[in-house]
Amino acid sequence: MNKIRVLVTDDSAFMRKVITDILHSDPDIEVVDRAKNGLECLEKVKQLHPDVVTLDIEMPVMNGLDALERLMNEHPVPVVMLSSLTREGAEATIHALELGAVDFVTKPSGPISLDLHKVAERLIERVKAAAQVNGRLRRPLGRPGTTFPMRSPLFKQKTAWTLPAQPGTGTPGRTASGTSHPGTADSRVTPPAAAIPRRASAVSKLVVLGTSTGGPKALQTVLTALPSNFPAPILIVQHMPAGFTKSLAQRLDSLCAIHVTEATDGEWIQPGTAYIAPGGFHLEVVQVSGGGLKTRLQQEEPRGGHRPSVDVLFESASRLTNVDKWAIIMTGMGNDGTKGLGRMREAGRVISIVEDESTCVVFGMPRAAIQAGLADNIVPLDRIAETLCKLLH
């Protein structure tokens, strides 16, 4: 088997050496060269044609975001970003994923992380996953900060769906914005609580969605194609560490007709809103008297290495009664979601949509669901929203 050829890009000579040493520790990976800025990275990609590029965000001459956009347009190659845990770093990372980066790894202690060995296993795993996606890279959705037009015909289509305004607001389907959660993925902290407690009427429709590698960009494709009066709440698990899911939710909310928010603990869930599980917390849905649905965040052990876990979300949905459910599994490594979808199927009242291999960045999670015989609809990414709307309508 040929080794995975990697180009390491970082403006720090120390970091280039540390990253190289980590990757060389795996017998399946070979670092073919190193670059000290984005411009040098572009030149070496043209010369060496690596299988994967690791790319720092903050660099002189040409930063990682500008280099990434050039790469995706001129010489598409799987890219793994190295990011800081700051708010600015999280926002830049979300932009990088929009531009076409396959995944990212956080530097534990800033641009010069003497303790990068703490994420060595994760870095190797992400590089190996990125090596699987050659030929499935998508063009950038736009430059950082771009406002994307709503292209779906569903925005102009009149439907019978009408959502009542929530108490205290004039906005259909919107809930109060949640507060951010403290801590990191490994911290034991009190789950974030909803900013304003609300009561809600019975919810009869629910969409649950799970995704991983390639998911942020796939979520943008699906959620921006949904109309503002979408008749069900959407609960989402995207494998992502603490500190990044809030930036993801805010970015998607700025682009979508529906409301997108990072889930908070104990809030009533509403139609027309998508709730993204916070990094480091499992997201569950619970039913209360009267048929209303609320979120529950908990920090039980990771499931299959993941917290949040798609299986945990799906299993909680399987326990709901008198609720019609739609479950979606999109691009990602592994098989998270298959066991939970099986529980939903055993409980009845669920229709599944699984992303087709042709559009997956990594086909692991969808393939596991398909092989288990749990896929009712297998559709490419750009048809998932349309299929979902037709099924609900």
Side-chain angles (χ1 to χ4, degrees), residues 152-172:
S152 171
L154 291 168
F155 287 101
K156 298 181 180 178
Q157 174 183 331
K158 293 183 179 179
T159 75
W161 301 337
T162 56
L163 305 181
Q166 301 307 313
T169 75
T171 306

Side-chain angles (χ1 to χ4, degrees), residues 64-133:
L65 291 177
D66 289 342
L68 176 64
E69 185 173 23
R70 287 273 303 274
L71 282 172
M72 292 300 103
N73 281 312
E74 299 172 12
H75 301 278
V77 59
V79 173
V80 176
M81 305 300 295
L82 277 87
S83 164
S84 68
L85 281 169
T86 63
R87 179 180 62 81
E88 293 80 7
E91 291 173 352
T93 300
I94 299 305
H95 289 326
L97 296 173
E98 287 179 351
L99 290 170
V102 172
D103 215 328
F104 69 98
V105 175
T106 54
K107 294 180 177 179
S109 53
I112 308 298
S113 287
L114 302 178
D115 54 353
L116 194 69
H117 64 275
K118 292 180 179 178
V119 296
E121 184 177 344
R122 191 176 309 157
L123 176 59
I124 290 170
E125 177 189 77
R126 298 297 191 272
V127 166
K128 286 187 170 182
Q132 301 176 31
V133 309

Side-chain angles (χ1 to χ4, degrees), residues 275-296:
Y275 303 83
I276 298 178
F281 288 89
H282 291 305
L283 171 62
E284 296 181 321
V285 54
V286 295
Q287 199 164 33
V288 297
S289 59
L293 302 180
K294 297 180 77 171
T295 57
R296 177 174 180 261

Side-chain angles (χ1 to χ4, degrees), residues 168-198:
T169 75
T171 306
R174 291 246 173 183
T175 61
S177 59
T179 56
S180 64
H181 59 85
T184 64
D186 295 323
S187 63
R188 296 289 174 173
V189 298
T190 302
I196 302 176
R198 297 184 180 276

